[in-house]
Amino acid sequence: MSVGSKKSCAYSEKEFHHYIGIDDRPWLHLEISLGCNIRCAMCTFHEQLEKVTWTSLSDVQDLGDELNRFGVVHLGDGSEPLVNPDWYQIVSHISQLGAKVSLQTNAKLIRDIKSAERIVNSGLHLLSISIDGMTDNTVSRIREGIDFSTIEQAIVLINQAKKKLGSETPHLTANIVAMCSNLSEIPDLISFLLFHDFIKARIGFLELRQENSQLVSELLIYDKARAKQTIAMVYQRMDAHPQPFVLDAELFGETEGMSKRNACTAYRDHIYARHDGEMFACYGKRRLGNLFADGVDTCLTSEEYADHVETVTTPGNNICSACSFCRVMSFDVVDDHFGSEAVSYYSRETIIASLQYVKEGGNAEDYWRDYYIARNGGVQC
Ligand SMILES: C[S@@+](CC[C@H](N)C(=O)[O-])C[C@H]1O[C@@H](n2cnc3c(N)ncnc32)[C@H](O)[C@@H]1O
Ligand code: SF4
Ligand code: SF4
């Protein structure tokens, strides 16, 4: 992670958090919904539009001030938090306890000045918006149900609301999923974010978590050189802009995945709770109890948690070795682009052959089109 502008000096994540008033205590990643109001081809976290459900306000209120022990309560890791009709009361409640609240959204429900003012008035500290391109076509192809103009309008409205209400918060950050077809738009997207007073962007790469005929040739493992050039261009855009800006493009660096996994402290820095309160360490790897039934203390002092910590702090342990937590992934590792379900569907041999095909000058799209034709008995779908 580094800060742009003419300074271009390196900032750790911790320094960035201190810069915006976030201390070193662990983060609670609290889902307040399950499901979404749009459909993104790459998202496998829920049944999307088919079934949307959410956490009740009273469950969160009944926790008393237990959430205050976290430096940040982050809403929206795997679902869309703003579909919860009580999101405003939940954010206000947690903010009033003294915890900083961060929220990740597709921005679809920020559609007029009133909804933007509610975001600002809720006390939200950080607002992260997902945006993967600079044109309506690109964004709506990746995120069916929203386009660039709609997200742009939401950003303008939030900035208008902050100005009108004289509020510095929420600080604006962006989450960008890079893939072959949106790479060329990413430098312009960063300029756009700088222009609209964003203070940070994270660029991650697409991970194929299950079979998908459209996305398989989109993986950046097929276009590594162009991806690295794009990141270099993004730094140039940041340097040309006077405003300090943090770019988290850590996933495109050279650090090998196993050393990241050995150094990972997510087991203590990021605790995860599903919308129904089920609480986990390491993003679902070990259940600690139920947040609403058992409370934070019981979950964090449980034998299960102590046992898990002992396991994952042992260098080279099997759990960390097989972990696909997004921050320990490596750009050069095939399995960090193809998730385990995708590998077992396509087979490792087929994937390795696809990489060889591209290395020899072939095109990933052609390779996978032929693969699907062969799989369908010679019929093109
Ligand atoms: C699952 S969403 C939940 C929050 C909210 N609905 C949103 O889209 O911002 C969190 C982030 O995960 C990203 N994401 C989803 N599927 C992904 C995948 N297969 N590879 C990389 N990032 C992915 C999304 O683009 C989004 O920025
Ligand atoms: S908006 Fe977020 S939660 Fe909804 S489908 Fe897309 S990535 Fe998943
Ligand atoms: S299991 Fe994954 S998230 Fe947990 S400490 Fe190991 S690498 Fe980090």
Side-chain angles (χ1 to χ4, degrees):
M1 179 176 293
S2 65
V3 164
S5 88
K6 294 194 173 67
K7 290 169 237 131
S8 243
C9 49
Y11 269 63
S12 68
E13 180 138 42
K14 210 184 235 189
E15 285 167 326
F16 168 66
H17 287 154
H18 289 178
Y19 171 68
I20 55 166
I22 290 175
D23 65 34
D24 297 338
R25 289 174 298 156
W27 286 39
L28 175 69
H29 295 248
L30 176 65
E31 295 291 1
I32 57 167
S33 57
L34 177 70
C36 195
N37 49 356
I38 65 168
R39 211 185 284 270
C40 304
M42 72 269 184
C43 183
T44 55
F45 293 115
H46 46 73
E47 293 169 54
Q48 295 177 324
L49 313 176
E50 274 76 52
K51 200 175 149 220
V52 179
T53 179
W54 51 80
T55 309
S56 76
L57 171 63
S58 60
D59 274 345
V60 179
Q61 285 172 333
D62 286 349
L63 287 169
D65 64 2
E66 283 206 277
L67 296 179
N68 205 18
R69 61 152 64 208
F70 296 99
V72 170
V73 177
H74 177 76
L75 314 176
D77 268 302
S79 284
E80 174 51 44
L82 294 183
V83 298
N84 185 322
D86 291 333
W87 72 264
Y88 176 85
Q89 288 90 331
I90 291 175
V91 172
S92 307
H93 173 74
I94 303 172
S95 301
Q96 278 161 21
L97 292 174
K100 301 270 191 281
V101 185
S102 148
L103 185 145
Q104 168 84 49
T105 180
N106 58 34
K108 178 146 177 145
L109 290 174
I110 308 171
R111 48 187 165 208
D112 48 30
I113 191 67
K114 207 167 152 221
S115 50
E117 285 179 15
R118 269 167 75 75
I119 294 271
V120 177
N121 281 329
S122 67
L124 189 68
H125 194 69
L126 262 182
L127 178 66
S128 174
I129 294 182
S130 289
I131 180 165
D132 309 313
M134 273 297 286
T135 61
D136 284 345
N137 261 351
T138 303
V139 172
S140 59
R141 192 168 31 77
I142 298 171
R143 310 183 149 257
E144 187 193 325
I146 200 161
D147 54 23
F148 175 77
S149 311
T150 307
I151 303 175
E152 180 184 30
Q153 187 197 31
I155 291 168
V156 169
L157 287 167
I158 288 286
N159 279 328
Q160 277 174 3
K162 280 172 67 173
K163 197 166 172 198
K164 183 173 163 197
L165 298 167
S167 177
E168 265 195 19
T169 53
H171 300 291
L172 295 183
T173 74
N175 200 43
I176 302 168
V177 181
M179 53 189 89
C180 294
S181 64
N182 69 356
L183 263 187
S184 59
E185 294 177 29
I186 290 179
D188 283 348
L189 178 55
I190 294 294
S191 299
F192 167 85
L193 296 174
L194 281 158
F195 180 76
H196 287 283
D197 295 331
F198 278 62
I199 57 167
K200 181 185 169 191
R202 175 179 182 272
I203 307 179
F205 54 77
L206 171 69
E207 184 201 358
L208 191 71
R209 301 198 180 112
Q210 61 187 29
E211 183 270 337
N212 188 309
S213 59
Q214 270 149 30
L215 291 180
V216 65
S217 54
E218 284 274 9
L219 295 174
L220 285 183
I221 190 90
Y222 296 116
D223 216 347
K224 291 204 292 189
R226 202 162 64 93
K228 293 206 174 185
Q229 278 164 15
T230 303
I231 300 298
M233 281 168 69
V234 165
Y235 278 108
Q236 282 168 8
R237 295 291 176 98
M238 287 161 55
D239 282 346
H241 203 278
Q243 168 195 334
F245 184 81
V246 174
L247 179 71
D248 178 356
E250 211 179 349
L251 284 190
F252 294 84
E254 303 293 330
T255 318
E256 189 266 316
M258 204 53 229
S259 58
K260 283 192 199 169
R261 285 171 172 94
N262 283 337
C264 180
T265 54
Y267 66 86
R268 61 159 198 250
D269 293 339
H270 300 276
I271 303 295
Y272 182 84
R274 264 179 5 199
H275 73 294
D276 55 3
E278 287 292 285
M279 204 161 174
F280 297 89
C282 295
Y283 292 89
K285 291 195 180 56
R286 188 69 179 256
R287 182 181 180 272
L288 309 180
N290 188 287
L291 174 66
F292 304 132
D294 307 321
V296 178
D297 270 337
T298 308
C299 293
L300 295 186
T301 52
S302 64
E303 274 178 32
E304 286 82 358
Y305 187 44
D307 180 65
H308 180 73
V309 171
E310 198 178 327
T311 309
V312 295
T313 49
T314 306
N317 69 81
N318 291 338
I319 296 183
C320 293
S321 305
C323 179
S324 59
F325 170 46
C326 59
R327 295 203 165 270
V328 297
M329 299 200 313
S330 287
F331 192 53
D332 293 326
V333 174
V334 177
D335 289 75
D336 288 341
H337 295 261
F338 284 88
S340 53
E341 230 182 274
V343 173
S344 67
Y345 181 87
Y346 292 114
S347 89
R348 195 166 291 281
E349 293 70 36
T350 307
I351 292 168
I352 300 298
S354 73
L355 292 166
Q356 188 59 28
Y357 182 83
V358 170
K359 201 171 167 192
E360 287 165 5
N363 181 308
E365 243 176 85
D366 295 340
Y367 179 92
W368 288 110
R369 192 196 50 238
D370 292 348
Y371 166 89
Y372 276 101
I373 291 175
R375 197 161 181 138
N376 292 328
V379 183
Q380 187 159 12
C381 323

